Amino acid sequence: MKARRVIATPCGAPWGENRRGENRRGENRRGENRGGEDRREKSGGPSIVEARTAGVRTAGPPGRRAEPPGRARYALPVSDEPVILHRGHRWLVVNKPAGWHSVAGRGDEPDVEGWLRQAVPDCAALHEGGLVHRLDQTTSGCLLAATREAERVSLRAAMSGRGGIVVGKRYLARVGAGVRSSGQFDLYFTRRHRGSRKVTVRGVGEDAERGQCAWRVLSRDASRGDLIEVDLLGPGRRHIIRAGMAFLGHPLVGDAMYGGGVGGARLHSASLTVDGQTVAAPAPEWARD
């Protein structure tokens, strides 16, 4: 079978600047147009720079960073704070809000790693704050972290299908209408060129690239898309659900990277099962009927 490739053009690309430091509207970095006039003089309102910096917070709760002047506060809507859903002796599960990064250093938005280092003393000295895996910025829900380094290593191995610990992952997603009532895929996911966040999906590949998922439709909505429940059948792969469903012709609603429109991929880590114990996160608004 000839391999197929998921090809999509991201939407909503940011405004670009020309060599003179002007954006496509002809304004330079100081918010002036080519005639040297500040837009405030014509509109009577604040200048572009003033509008962007008005009301920006320079400090915030754990995990949030000071906002650089002259920049919109968040690239994506950020709501709520992380909540610890369950804490055991060696690991815990956090409900990650959509809009938060999993690890530090990914942007100016808040990150769960920094929040864990401040909120959970046992995680402060651990690599990536004890996080065992990651969720995309727009994905909400269950995120697993360890409170001991040895446990973090063993749980990471379990996420890759190794070791004696069994980890199960279940997701909710909203996809383009018309997906089959139930089914599963067995595909191969590879990274593209260096610097690209997308993955390439093929029908054949190496064992280390293999990803399997099973889904079932929970409800259908012609305008909002079909709500599905997805179980990972083995090790997770980068964008396994997002790229996998797009490969089948049903990209996640709001997933610009894989052709699903704009607004952020509708994906939620609904539950994690670790050694027989299941922890669930409340469904987001888009997943409610």
Side-chain angles (χ1 to χ4, degrees):
M1 179 177 68
K2 187 176 180 181
R4 295 167 58 196
R5 196 182 266 189
V6 177
I7 302 175
T9 302
C11 302
W15 287 91
E17 292 182 348
N18 60 29
R19 293 179 181 175
R20 291 182 293 177
E22 298 171 346
N23 62 28
R24 292 175 186 171
R25 292 176 179 170
E27 298 157 332
N28 61 29
R29 294 189 181 97
R30 293 177 297 176
E32 300 172 347
N33 60 28
R34 289 175 182 155
E37 300 168 328
D38 191 309
R39 289 183 68 194
R40 169 177 46 188
E41 296 177 4
K42 289 189 175 182
S43 65
S47 67
I48 295 173
V49 173
E50 288 174 339
R52 286 180 179 170
T53 56
V56 169
R57 300 193 322 188
T58 56
R64 281 192 177 162
R65 302 175 183 174
E67 182 68 23
R71 192 174 209 168
R73 188 168 187 272
Y74 295 128
L76 293 168
V78 176
S79 60
D80 306 322
E81 298 283 334
V83 174
I84 296 176
L85 298 169
H86 170 82
R87 180 168 183 178
H89 294 297
R90 296 174 295 178
W91 54 270
L92 57 87
V93 176
V94 171
N95 187 11
K96 171 191 168 300
W100 285 59
H101 294 287
S102 293
V103 297
R106 300 291 176 175
D108 297 315
E109 298 83 9
D111 57 83
V112 177
E113 176 188 341
W115 183 88
L116 281 169
R117 291 189 188 281
Q118 296 188 49
V120 183
D122 288 341
C123 295
L126 301 183
H127 179 68
E128 293 185 348
L131 288 174
V132 174
H133 64 128
R134 302 177 184 181
L135 296 176
D136 292 333
Q137 184 186 5
T138 57
T139 303
S140 58
C142 294
L143 189 59
L144 181 63
T147 53
R148 300 178 185 178
E149 183 60 24
E151 195 70 12
R152 189 189 71 83
V153 173
S154 62
L155 285 171
R156 281 187 61 83
M159 289 283 183
S160 300
R162 307 188 307 270
I165 301 176
V166 178
V167 177
K169 299 185 199 177
R170 174 168 289 178
Y171 289 79
L172 293 176
R174 195 169 284 281
V175 300
V179 67
R180 282 167 35 195
S181 297
S182 63
Q184 67 180 66
F185 62 71
D186 187 348
L187 299 168
Y188 297 83
F189 301 80
T190 57
R191 291 180 180 271
R192 305 178 70 174
H193 59 81
R194 185 177 179 84
S196 174
R197 293 181 298 167
K198 295 180 66 175
V199 299
T200 297
V201 184
R202 297 185 176 93
V204 295
E206 303 293 331
D207 286 343
E209 303 163 350
R210 187 181 185 185
Q212 299 171 285
C213 288
W215 79 86
R216 67 185 183 96
V217 173
L218 299 180
S219 64
R220 296 189 184 275
D221 189 312
S223 60
R224 300 169 65 200
D226 296 338
L227 180 65
I228 62 173
E229 182 180 79
V230 186
D231 289 322
L232 268 60
L233 307 177
R237 304 296 178 202
R238 180 179 176 86
H239 295 178
I240 182 171
I241 297 175
R242 295 172 58 188
M245 294 307 297
F247 183 85
L248 299 180
H250 298 280
L252 271 60
V253 173
D255 193 353
M257 185 174 291
Y258 294 103
V262 296
R266 303 298 193 266
L267 185 62
H268 175 69
S269 177
S271 66
L272 281 173
T273 301
V274 181
D275 252 2
Q277 181 165 356
T278 299
V279 181
E285 184 177 354
W286 59 258
R288 302 170 196 157
D289 292 330

